[in-house]
Structure formats: structure tokens, C-alpha cells
């Protein structure tokens, strides 16, 4: 079973920030938080990952709480092309036999 | 580098036939993964290679399924005596040997068993 809990769906207005939450209360010390997204009929696309510090790249920011039991993926200016299913995964740092949950279906609305 | 490549993109086969899919990982990646995804679900892990060695297999990988990576480069996934329940998207991913690294997925092979 997946070790994460995400809301099944969210809406976001185009141009606004999309904040996608993830709970991972049983995360262990050597497990990273990974985020992927999947646009319809395509393979999952890597977004970002982190251990305990906040991370930012050209796609998104990842905010991890101090106790590491939850995190938030932030898309700063959502566009229609960001409509996708977003998966939050926790995994140890030496292999990617990820356990995917159902993810959050983000709909960016015009 | 064009990323992870999978072939074919779509396959329709009759029940009972054998099918084989190919995955070409990113060239410097020594780790390769196969996943299966059914409609409305997240991908499910099937198996994992490090170079040519198959290091982990999910219980989802029944004896009708076999995966190989003979020279540590491309990989094949064969399904023998296909069943309708095998209809799914089969995804391949690869990553480097470094720790803390991400995996990159291909576009998948969509299998339909009729």
C-alpha cells in the first residue's frame, strides 16, 4: 500500500498558485518525498524530490514540514497544461520501486 | 538524449498470444524498472534491474511474465498466453546508480487483449 495520503481532486484558477498537500506520517528517516505528475495517456513526469529541506526547481517548490509527516507541492503560476494527476511518493534513496497511490487530479480552470 | 523510449506504443493482441515489449533507457542509466498501470490507478511496480541483474520482482509478475536485460542496456518484457486482465499500460523507467536520484519514465506501451 502507498505510504501517502492525498486529496483525490483539486481545482485551481489559471495563473494562481496550486498547493497540493500530501500526508506521509509513517515516513522513515532515509525516505525521500518524490513528486511526479501524469498527463493523460503519457508516462509519469518527474517534478521534484527532497529529504527534509525545502526544494525549488524550474517547475515547482516542495515544502516539507519539520517533522516530515507532510509536504506541499507548489506550482507557483498554474497553467492549463498543468492539469494532470499528481503523485506524492515516499521512497528510500537507493531505488525507485515506487509505490504509487491514486494521486490528486488537479484541474486548472481558465 | 531523447529520454526513455518504449516500443511499440500500442499493441492489440488476441487472448492466448504472446507479446514482447522493448524499453531503451537513458544511455548512462544502469537501473531500469517496469511498471504496469490500469485505468484510473497509479502505476504498480513489476520488476527492477541493475545493469543486467534482475534484483527485485513484484508478486504481480506471474510466471507468464518474464523480463530480461541481457547486456545491461535495453530491456524486454514478455507476456505469454495473454489474458484480458493483462490489458494495461506498461511503463518503463530508468535512473542512474547515484543515490537520491530521480527516475525518468517512458511514454509506455498500451496493451489491449481482445
Amino acid at each position: 500500500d502507498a505510504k501517502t495520503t492525498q486529496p483525490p481532486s483539486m481545482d485551481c484558477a489559471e495563473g494562481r498558485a496550486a498547493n497540493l498537500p500530501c500526508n506521509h506520517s509513517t515516513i522513515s528517516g532515509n525516505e525521500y518525498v518524490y513528486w511526479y505528475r501524469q498527463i493523460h495517456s503519457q508516462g509519469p513526469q518527474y517534478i521534484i524530490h527532497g529529504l527534509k529541506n525545502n526544494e525549488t526547481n524550474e517547475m515547482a517548490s516542495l515544502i516539507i514540514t519539520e517533522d516530515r509527516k507532510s509536504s506541499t507541492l507548489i506550482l507557483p503560476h498554474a497553467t492549463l497544461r498543468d492539469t494532470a494527476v499528481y503523485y506524492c511518493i515516499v521512497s528510500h534513496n537507493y531505488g525507485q520501486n515506487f509505490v504509487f497511490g491514486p494521486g490528486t487530479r488537479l484541474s486548472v480552470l481558465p | 538524449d531523447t529520454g526513455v523510449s518504449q516500443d511499440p506504443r500500442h499493441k492489440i493482441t488476441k487472448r492466448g498470444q504472446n507479446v514482447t515489449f522493448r524499453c531503451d533507457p537513458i544511455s548512462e542509466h544502469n537501473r531500469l524498472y517496469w511498471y504496469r498501470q490500469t485505468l484510473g490507478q497509479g502505476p504498480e511496480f513489476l520488476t527492477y534491474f541493475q545493469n543486467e541483474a534482475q534484483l527485485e520482482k513484484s508478486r504481480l509478475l506471474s510466471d507468464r511474465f518474464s523480463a530480461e536485460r541481457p547486456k545491461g542496456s535495453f530491456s524486454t518484457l514478455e507476456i505469454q498466453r495473454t489474458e484480458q486482465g493483462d490489458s494495461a499500460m506498461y511503463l518503463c523507467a530508468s535512473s542512474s546508480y547515484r543515490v537520491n536520484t530521480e527516475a525518468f519514465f517512458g511514454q509506455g506501451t498500451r496493451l489491449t487483449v481482445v
Side-chain angles (χ1 to χ4, degrees):
Chain A
D1 291 345
K3 297 179 65 173
T4 61
T5 304
Q6 299 177 253
S9 64
M10 293 181 64
D11 291 340
C12 177
E14 189 178 17
R16 303 296 295 270
N19 296 284
L20 292 93
C22 180
N23 288 323
H24 32 80
S25 59
T26 60
I27 192 170
S28 61
N30 66 345
E31 288 183 315
Y32 281 64
V33 180
Y34 290 81
W35 283 85
Y36 282 78
R37 72 181 183 184
Q38 190 170 27
I39 296 169
H40 183 62
S41 296
Q42 297 184 21
Q45 177 189 22
Y46 167 78
I47 302 173
I48 199 167
H49 73 288
L51 181 63
K52 56 182 179 180
N53 296 321
N54 297 339
E55 302 287 345
T56 295
N57 62 21
E58 65 278 5
M59 289 184 69
S61 295
L62 173 60
I63 308 298
I64 303 174
T65 58
E66 191 169 346
D67 64 7
R68 302 210 322 123
K69 293 185 176 181
S70 65
S71 61
T72 302
L73 178 75
I74 302 172
L75 308 178
H77 306 287
T79 71
L80 299 178
R81 287 180 293 181
D82 292 322
T83 292
V85 178
Y86 286 76
Y87 298 101
C88 169
I89 304 159
V90 296
S91 179
H92 46 66
N93 62 353
Y94 52 88
Q96 278 80 31
N97 49 334
F98 291 138
V99 178
F100 286 79
T104 295
R105 183 172 297 278
L106 175 69
S107 298
V108 180
L109 308 175
Chain B
D1 196 324
T2 56
V4 178
S5 177
Q6 292 190 245
D7 183 70
R9 292 293 310 277
H10 303 275
K11 177 72 176 179
I12 300 174
T13 191
K14 292 183 178 179
R15 190 174 51 187
Q17 298 294 303
N18 299 344
V19 294
T20 300
F21 311 139
R22 177 180 170 121
C23 171
D24 287 90
I26 293 172
S27 58
E28 66 269 22
H29 285 180
N30 69 339
R31 293 178 176 168
L32 186 146
Y33 312 81
W34 285 98
Y35 287 78
R36 181 177 71 183
Q37 185 174 26
T38 54
L39 204 60
Q41 304 297 316
E44 297 172 292
F45 170 75
L46 292 178
T47 190
Y48 153 54
F49 289 85
Q50 182 160 302
N51 299 313
E52 65 277 8
Q54 189 173 17
L55 296 186
E56 191 170 347
K57 291 193 289 187
S58 161
R59 57 184 170 79
L60 294 175
L61 210 67
S62 76
D63 56 5
R64 296 186 297 106
F65 288 68
S66 62
E68 294 184 343
R69 195 182 182 198
K71 297 183 180 179
S73 57
F74 73 91
S75 175
T76 58
L77 177 68
E78 181 183 17
I79 308 175
Q80 296 182 328
R81 306 180 302 281
T82 52
E83 302 172 356
Q84 286 189 321
D86 297 331
S87 295
M89 174 80 84
Y90 290 84
L91 293 159
C92 177
S94 71
S95 69
S96 73
Y97 70 93
R98 292 180 294 113
V99 294
N100 317 336
T101 188
E102 63 273 26
F104 295 93
F105 283 80
Q107 295 305 299
T109 294
R110 181 166 296 283
L111 173 67
T112 302
V113 182
V114 298

